[in-house]
């Protein structure tokens, strides 16, 4: 059974830091591109950061570049999102996503349940 379980969310003051974790099970974690998305109230879900399966290539939304860092530990089947210099506009539910496309073109796409991040004084 595929599972993605996020943790680490919470309430933090502006300028503070949080580290989100996403523990994966039920699939070959190292073969998947891992991404973090977020969705704020009344807004569409947006890509925050992505990390290729080989662990080399990263991608960040312009709004978080220089503040957020995505990383993965394939031995622990876990992906992380280190969030520094948090702003109120970072408030959202953060979702972990695992995706890959097979040699035949089939797309595999899994989602976690989300973890709330609230940045407020």
């Amino acid at each position: 059974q595929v599972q993605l379980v996020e943790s680490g969310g919470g309430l933090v003051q502006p300028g503070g830091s949080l580290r989100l974790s996403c523990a994966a099970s039920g699939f070959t974690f190292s073969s998947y591109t891992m991404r973090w998305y977020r969705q704020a109230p009344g807004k569409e879900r947006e890509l925050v950061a992505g990390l290729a399966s080989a662990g080399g290539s990263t991608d960040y939304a312009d709004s978080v570049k220089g503040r957020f860092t995505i990383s993965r530990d394939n031995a622990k089947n876990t992906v992380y999102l280190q969030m520094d210099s948090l702003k109120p506009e970072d408030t959202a539910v953060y979702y972990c996503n695992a995706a890959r496309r097979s040699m035949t073109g089939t797309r595999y796409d899994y989602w976690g349940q989300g973890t709330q991040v609230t940045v407020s004084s």
Side-chain angles (χ1 to χ4, degrees):
Q1 181 181 2
V2 171
Q3 280 194 312
L4 292 173
V5 180
E6 300 102 331
S7 61
L11 173 64
V12 63
Q13 292 187 342
S17 297
L18 282 175
R19 188 175 84 153
L20 305 183
S21 299
C22 173
S25 60
F27 62 97
T28 307
F29 177 79
S30 59
S31 297
Y32 282 69
T33 293
M34 299 302 298
R35 297 182 176 93
W36 287 95
Y37 288 78
R38 68 186 181 187
Q39 188 166 20
K43 295 187 177 181
E44 293 187 354
R45 189 171 297 189
E46 63 172 350
L47 176 66
V48 176
L51 178 57
S53 59
S57 175
T58 58
D59 186 32
Y60 294 95
D62 287 342
S63 59
V64 307
K65 281 181 181 176
R67 300 188 298 122
F68 290 11
T69 303
I70 187 171
S71 62
R72 66 193 295 161
D73 185 338
N74 287 342
K76 295 182 178 180
N77 288 356
T78 301
V79 62
Y80 305 97
L81 185 68
Q82 177 66 41
M83 305 186 294
D84 299 319
S85 303
L86 282 161
K87 304 175 181 180
E89 51 263 44
D90 295 318
T91 296
V93 178
Y94 284 70
Y95 297 91
C96 176
N97 170 264
R100 77 172 184 94
R101 191 177 297 278
S102 73
M103 295 288 286
T104 60
T106 302
R107 181 174 173 87
Y108 297 86
D109 205 8
Y110 307 126
W111 292 89
Q113 82 289 348
T115 186
Q116 176 70 46
V117 171
T118 303
V119 184
S120 175
S121 55

